[in-house]
């Protein structure tokens, strides 16, 4: 939370700066300002990357769960159809496996 407040304060300070405000600064002051900007930018990029990695991991987990659920439902359906229709339907189900109906997510 402290980082966010500092970032907001820095953003406000930077957004208030105009080119004419920079004209009066010495080279040393400009270097300090540049270093602060670069540090803030590194922090923002690191946070963005962290968030993106977390989102990718969550998506991967959801995909894996969906694939598992899809497989479970397929097996339940196969089992129910086998029970209700007997061996004749089982042959049709076995033939349909060649169609590769499973869900594949590549994350």
């Amino acid at each position: 939370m402290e980082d966010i407040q500092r970032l907001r304060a820095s953003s406000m300070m930077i957004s208030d700066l105009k080119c004419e405000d920079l004209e009066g600064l010495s080279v040393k002051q400009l270097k300090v300002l540049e270093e602060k900007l670069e540090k803030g930018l590194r922090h923002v990029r690191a946070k963005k990357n962290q968030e993106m990695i977390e989102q990718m991991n969550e998506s991967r987990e959801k995909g894996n769960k969906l694939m598992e659920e899809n497989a479970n439902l397929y097996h339940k359906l196969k089992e129910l159809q086998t029970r209700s229709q007997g061996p004749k339907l089982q042959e049709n189900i076995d033939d349909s496996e060649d169609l590769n109906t499973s869900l594949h997510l590549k994350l």
Side-chain angles (χ1 to χ4, degrees):
M1 197 63 158
E2 204 173 290
D3 288 339
I4 294 172
Q5 290 174 345
R6 270 193 308 203
L7 184 60
R8 284 184 183 155
S10 295
S11 292
M12 293 173 106
M13 180 187 78
I14 292 167
S15 65
D16 288 344
L17 290 176
K18 296 180 180 132
C19 287
E20 54 215 37
D21 294 334
L22 298 176
E23 287 179 20
L25 297 178
S26 68
V27 173
K28 185 177 180 179
Q29 290 171 321
L30 288 170
K31 277 190 163 196
V32 168
L33 179 59
E34 181 181 25
E35 288 170 3
K36 286 181 180 182
L37 289 170
E38 287 175 354
K39 182 180 177 184
L41 185 57
R42 281 192 304 270
H43 178 72
V44 168
R45 286 181 177 154
K47 181 67 175 170
K48 179 189 78 170
N49 289 338
Q50 177 186 352
E51 290 291 324
M52 289 176 68
I53 289 170
E54 287 175 10
Q55 286 179 357
M56 286 175 21
N57 289 336
E58 288 174 10
S59 294
R60 187 175 292 115
E61 287 176 21
K62 285 180 184 179
N64 289 338
K65 286 179 183 178
L66 287 172
M67 286 174 36
E68 185 179 328
E69 183 180 356
N70 186 44
N72 289 337
L73 289 172
Y74 176 78
H75 292 297
K76 285 180 183 180
L77 176 64
K78 186 175 176 179
E79 184 180 312
L80 288 172
Q81 288 176 337
T82 302
R83 286 184 194 168
S84 66
Q85 298 295 323
K88 186 182 254 185
L89 183 61
Q90 180 61 36
E91 292 172 10
N92 292 338
I93 293 172
D94 289 339
D95 291 341
S96 71
E97 287 180 349
D98 294 334
L99 298 176
N100 190 15
T101 58
S102 62
L103 173 64
H104 293 284
L105 296 177
K106 294 182 182 179
L107 301 174

